[in-house]
Amino acid sequence: SNVAASNAKLALFYDWLFFNPEKDSIMNIEPAILVMHHSMKPHPAITATLLDFMCRIIPNFYPPLEAHVRQGVFNSLTHIVEKRVLAHLAPLFDNPKLDKELRAMLREKFPEFCSSPSPPIEVKIEEPVPMEMENHLEKDDGCYDNAEAAFSDDEEELNSKGKKREFRFHPIKESIVEEPVDITPFLEQLDESLKDKVLQLQKGSDTEAQCEVMQEIVDQVLEEDFDSEQLSVLASCLQELFKAHFRGEVLPEEITEESLEESVGKPLYLIFRNLCQMQEDNSGFSLLLDLLSELYQKQPKIGYHLLYYLRASKAALGRMGLYESFAQATQLGELHTCLMMDMKACQEDDVRLLCFLTPSIYTEFPDETLRSGELLNMIVAVIDSFQLQELVCHVMMGNLVMFRKDSVLNILIQSLDWETFEQYCTWQLFLAHNIPLETIIPILQHLKYKEHPEALSCLLLQLRREKPSEEMVKMVLSRPCHPEDQFTTSILRHWGLRHDDLLGEHIKALLIKNNSLPRKRQSLRSSSSKLAQLTLEQILEHLDNLRLNLTNTKQNFFSQTPILQALQHVQASCDEAHKMK
């Protein structure tokens, strides 16, 4: 339906509307631009409808903030070009496949990104598909009172036979037609000897022959008199010739030493291999990195292919650190951004490969991976239960560490905003580690019973395995009392039945502490844990809930001496209102 399609488009562009490059991640705006870029050839209609939507959403998302939205979209486009997600936007905005009105609208709204201000030459395309772009938004009084009118109606596109065909976002199964690659314009700019070798590569039918030629090309790049101006052109040739490398599965179906070794025998991987065999101070080392950096701009997937090579190839044993040199040589210039973008690209293309790389990425780059939840979120967003179980085994066999004490609490707090299955995966992975629960117990202060059921149930099941410590009891009692929130009563009852004497002592200590403090000083004392303000009233209310819960059992928790002593102590010194209550 139109509404569903409009919502899909809005979801795709939502992060663009108020994008701020200082705070927001390029990954939030990449999907929309890449859908438009990749659909231009096989499905120009999708690109057209999205570009049209991008223009029309600016005045119509929320008219009072139109200037903000325009700035957000403008920031997104600028950032996309700066980060080289696409080198230029002109081929997208000013493409002859788009109809005239749409191109005029783009030129009017985003002149900075369209190359030629003069009207482009009309290119005749057989049987143009009429796009119904002249939408009922022309009056531009658009507000969202009428959801139907707010978006362009391109779902009912007429196909060339004049029949209406439904235009939905079906998953696109592209049938890949291997077109003969035209690299003539690049060849013109190469030296004779290099040109011959690239032509040999193009003609080469079997992998082995191509590998030999590729090695010769690498050798020539490493020669003293090689003109490094040619690297960019050479990279363009290689990227065109080996497009098929970057499609389909990288990881062999069955993983054995032989199949892995065979999978890293691609001609392009020879560049990686030569890097592995060099010392970093070798003059050729930086030249080959420059070649990779040029390739990376034209084909970003090369990043995770390098990670795969370093993990899978015998020749690369112990050379994982080479990736860092690569990251610094790219235009991104630093490891964290580069690693996250490559893992994101891998996540989008091949989840099996993502899981295969995970242990070595965490092991090799602990500072980049363990400090924030970014990579963890990428992983749990796409794995299934089988892959989760594999990762849990990796953790328990000592091949993988996904959390460390200093950052685990922050990451678990971040995960509270994730999807339900993502959160359950995160907790399962956390529980596979041997991190004492004390480390993360402060998360309780962030957990609201209606909003965070996943974390609460995981934590509850974990707490019941623990002996209560005073800190734990304090955190549990610090939860606000609410008739529907059973968390505190559940765990207190469990501890009361298993560890009654220990729990009794802790409660006595907390009651006496919280009773003897003057009211004002108390709030200063506990400012270390700003969120958990433990009050006497709260403790008593939780204890009363526990008492009601235990009434029909033979449990005599409240007749223990420490509890009676504490209650007498409180009774002797508290005010009338508390006594009445």
Side-chain angles (χ1 to χ4, degrees), residues 47-116:
T47 304
T49 171
L50 291 174
L51 285 168
D52 178 70
F53 179 85
M54 181 179 78
C55 294
R56 294 176 192 270
I57 194 71
I58 294 174
N60 295 301
F61 178 68
Y62 182 61
L65 289 183
E66 180 181 346
H68 287 73
V69 176
R70 175 171 288 110
Q71 189 56 47
V73 173
F74 186 80
N75 287 349
S76 303
L77 292 167
T78 314
H79 202 51
I80 280 164
V81 177
E82 277 172 10
K83 285 278 186 226
R84 308 285 296 194
V85 178
L86 293 186
H88 305 291
L89 293 173
L92 186 64
F93 282 11
D94 217 358
N95 195 302
K97 286 190 178 181
L98 304 175
D99 68 332
K100 273 203 302 238
E101 279 105 355
L102 178 58
R103 271 157 45 201
M105 177 156 72
L106 285 163
R107 210 170 306 120
E108 176 199 347
K109 290 249 198 309
F110 307 109
E112 306 82 346
F113 302 109
C114 299
S115 52
S116 49

Side-chain angles (χ1 to χ4, degrees), residues 62 64-65 69 126 138 158 166 189 238 248 274 330 345 367 444 469 473 525 529:
Y62 182 61
L65 289 183
V69 176
E126 294 85 73
E138 303 302 278
L158 295 167
E166 238 191 317
Q189 306 168 46
L238 295 175
N274 278 277
T330 63
D367 285 346
L444 260 177
S469 67
V473 176
R525 271 284 303 273
S529 52

Side-chain angles (χ1 to χ4, degrees), residues 441 444-445 468-479 488 492 495 503 506-507 510 513-514 522 525-529 532-535 538-539 542:
I441 196 83
L444 260 177
Q445 307 164 339
S469 67
E470 189 175 330
E471 181 61 17
M472 283 179 194
V473 176
K474 180 182 166 189
M475 285 289 171
V476 165
L477 289 171
S478 303
R479 290 186 68 67
T488 301
L492 287 179
W495 282 338
L503 183 62
H506 292 324
I507 287 178
L510 288 165
K513 246 186 226 168
N514 280 280
Q522 183 192 348
R525 271 284 303 273
S526 49
S527 64
S528 59
S529 52
Q533 296 293 356
L534 190 57
T535 63
Q538 213 172 352
I539 302 179
H542 281 309

Side-chain angles (χ1 to χ4, degrees), residues 15-30:
D15 287 299
W16 289 48
L17 305 182
F18 298 95
F19 184 75
N20 172 1
E22 303 291 303
K23 292 200 295 245
D24 298 323
S25 161
I26 183 82
M27 292 182 188
N28 299 345
I29 57 173
E30 262 182 347

Side-chain angles (χ1 to χ4, degrees), residues 325-463:
S325 313
F326 161 74
Q328 283 157 359
T330 63
Q331 286 208 314
L332 297 168
E334 52 99 27
L335 179 58
H336 184 82
T337 314
C338 194
L339 184 63
M340 291 306 145
M341 283 181 74
D342 289 343
M343 293 305 274
K344 182 73 184 153
C346 177
Q347 179 227 39
E348 287 164 4
D349 290 349
D350 189 344
V351 178
R352 273 184 71 229
L353 180 60
L354 180 75
C355 294
F356 178 75
L357 290 175
T358 294
S360 49
I361 298 296
Y362 270 97
T363 307
E364 281 295 328
F365 308 111
D367 285 346
E368 310 309 321
T369 50
L370 295 170
R371 272 206 308 255
S372 79
E374 199 173 346
L375 181 58
L376 179 69
N377 188 205
M378 267 182 233
I379 295 167
V380 295
V382 291
I383 57 175
D384 59 23
S385 42
F386 174 73
Q387 288 158 329
L388 170 65
Q389 198 262 335
E390 281 192 324
L391 288 175
V392 167
C393 289
H394 275 305
V395 171
M396 294 188 63
M397 292 191 320
N399 307 333
L400 172 62
V401 175
M402 299 181 89
F403 297 101
R404 65 178 179 204
K405 277 188 185 173
D406 59 358
S407 55
V408 60
L409 179 60
N410 285 336
I411 291 177
L412 287 175
I413 291 170
Q414 274 174 37
S415 77
L416 297 176
D417 297 330
W418 301 351
E419 299 289 332
T420 290
F421 183 68
E422 296 171 17
Q423 288 193 51
Y424 280 131
C425 289
T426 303
W427 280 93
Q428 296 256 324
L429 289 165
F430 166 72
L431 294 176
H433 292 67
N434 286 329
I435 294 177
L437 209 59
E438 294 271 304
T439 318
I440 60 141
I441 196 83
I443 197 175
L444 260 177
Q445 307 164 339
H446 297 264
L447 302 183
K448 301 190 170 65
Y449 75 100
K450 274 195 172 144
E451 289 165 39
H452 306 126
E454 300 90 349
L456 279 168
S457 55
C458 291
L459 203 53
L460 187 60
L461 294 174
Q462 206 42 33
L463 277 171

Side-chain angles (χ1 to χ4, degrees), residues 14-215:
Y14 199 71
D15 287 299
W16 289 48
L17 305 182
F18 298 95
F19 184 75
N20 172 1
E22 303 291 303
K23 292 200 295 245
D24 298 323
S25 161
I26 183 82
M27 292 182 188
N28 299 345
I29 57 173
E30 262 182 347
I33 197 78
L34 292 177
V35 171
M36 295 193 284
H37 173 67
H38 292 308
S39 305
M40 185 58 101
K41 260 192 190 149
H43 307 278
I46 287 190
T47 304
T49 171
L50 291 174
L51 285 168
D52 178 70
F53 179 85
M54 181 179 78
C55 294
R56 294 176 192 270
I57 194 71
I58 294 174
N60 295 301
F61 178 68
Y62 182 61
L65 289 183
E66 180 181 346
H68 287 73
V69 176
R70 175 171 288 110
Q71 189 56 47
V73 173
F74 186 80
N75 287 349
S76 303
L77 292 167
T78 314
H79 202 51
I80 280 164
V81 177
E82 277 172 10
K83 285 278 186 226
R84 308 285 296 194
V85 178
L86 293 186
H88 305 291
L89 293 173
L92 186 64
F93 282 11
D94 217 358
N95 195 302
K97 286 190 178 181
L98 304 175
D99 68 332
K100 273 203 302 238
E101 279 105 355
L102 178 58
R103 271 157 45 201
M105 177 156 72
L106 285 163
R107 210 170 306 120
E108 176 199 347
K109 290 249 198 309
F110 307 109
E112 306 82 346
F113 302 109
C114 299
S115 52
S116 49
S118 58
I121 310 117
E122 275 302 300
V123 178
K124 281 273 176 282
I125 303 175
E126 294 85 73
E127 271 305 322
V129 180
M131 301 280 294
E132 299 191 353
M133 283 294 180
E134 303 77 77
N135 183 277
H136 22 248
L137 252 188
E138 303 302 278
K139 298 186 287 300
D140 226 22
D141 50 5
C143 193
Y144 269 172
D145 307 336
N146 174 355
E148 285 295 321
F151 297 92
S152 45
D153 231 4
D154 40 42
E155 274 69 19
E156 302 174 337
E157 210 192 297
L158 295 167
N159 69 11
S160 45
K161 298 204 179 64
K163 292 201 293 287
K164 280 201 171 182
R165 69 184 171 95
E166 238 191 317
F167 189 71
R168 289 227 190 101
F169 285 91
H170 294 297
I172 299 159
K173 286 275 176 277
E174 294 196 18
S175 51
I176 292 162
V177 185
E178 285 294 349
E179 299 164 8
V181 187
D182 179 26
I183 50 172
T184 337
F186 301 124
L187 285 174
E188 316 281 295
Q189 306 168 46
L190 287 176
D191 286 351
E192 278 310 308
S193 57
L194 205 51
K195 188 174 178 174
D196 295 343
K197 286 176 184 145
V198 172
L199 281 168
Q200 273 178 280
L201 263 190
Q202 191 174 15
K203 294 194 188 82
S205 49
D206 66 43
T207 311
E208 210 161 304
Q210 282 188 318
C211 283
E212 282 174 22
V213 181
M214 190 68 211
Q215 184 58 53

